[in-house]
Amino acid sequence: MAENTVRTEAQTAAPTGTRTLIHGIMVVRAVAAGASSLRSVVEATGLSRSTAHRLIQALRVERFLRENADGSLQLGPALIELGFQALDSVSLQTIAHPILVDLAQQAKDTVHLAVEDSGMALYLDKIHGTRGIEIRSWIGARMPLTYTGIGKALLIDSPERWRGQYVQDRNLTGRDPEHDYADESAFSAAMAKFAKQGFAYDLEENEPGVRCVSAPVRDGRGKTVAAISVSAALPFMPPKRMKALGPVVVDAAARISAELGYHTSKNDSID
């Protein structure tokens, strides 16, 4: 009821010349939500039957809607074309940067953005915290996925990779961290907990004295395409604060995900 009230108020407030556009968008959204007939579009939008019929016909001509052989409505190919064009024009760094800045100011600690590249976490952005503590990382750096919090967030939706990636990363030369999981089973169990809560931890596996909280960024298909993290020196990352930071980092990741077309309602709940 509240949604319908807001919708009605928005329609009333809109200049007359824009109402047709708003109504057309309402029709497209209704079909996207499952309305497949004139009657169901009318029920979903509150438009008159004649207005809904006129808009459906216009949207069919412009290929924003299609009518199947049985008369049911579906989204049309023009939306697919525009979707790919929009996706091509998106710059992950550009979208994420102001959100990362907000997160760094809120947390007062260093914030990172990374993507997976050839089985490694590739850092794309870094926002320094305000505590005057330098985290040993840089844009362009590559880190093994299972040693870093941000790498674990990149893996959080891929349980079939947890064990194998752990073993692969432990075969790398030059790494023998003081803090690490006992074996792939212990790592997999930890990842299962991270997946359930929606965010991951780095408990000094990557850098002694540094902990971080991280969360995945997803695109419109629900695929994990990046991750973000908040990193700080051990005195500023006791367990209680790490748990409290989790929802904050998840919220920032969700904001970036929404800009990439991900519906935040799909996000896992945080226990």
Side-chain angles (χ1 to χ4, degrees), residues 29-46:
R29 290 189 182 278
V31 174
S36 60
S37 66
L38 174 59
R39 179 178 179 178
S40 58
V41 168
V42 169
E43 291 175 349
T45 62

Side-chain angles (χ1 to χ4, degrees), residues 170-194:
R170 292 324 176 273
N171 288 331
L172 296 173
T173 59
R175 278 192 174 266
D176 186 21
E178 178 183 353
H179 303 275
D180 199 3
Y181 297 93
D183 53 30
E184 60 266 37
S185 294
F187 177 77
S188 184
M191 286 296 298
K193 293 179 180 179
F194 296 154

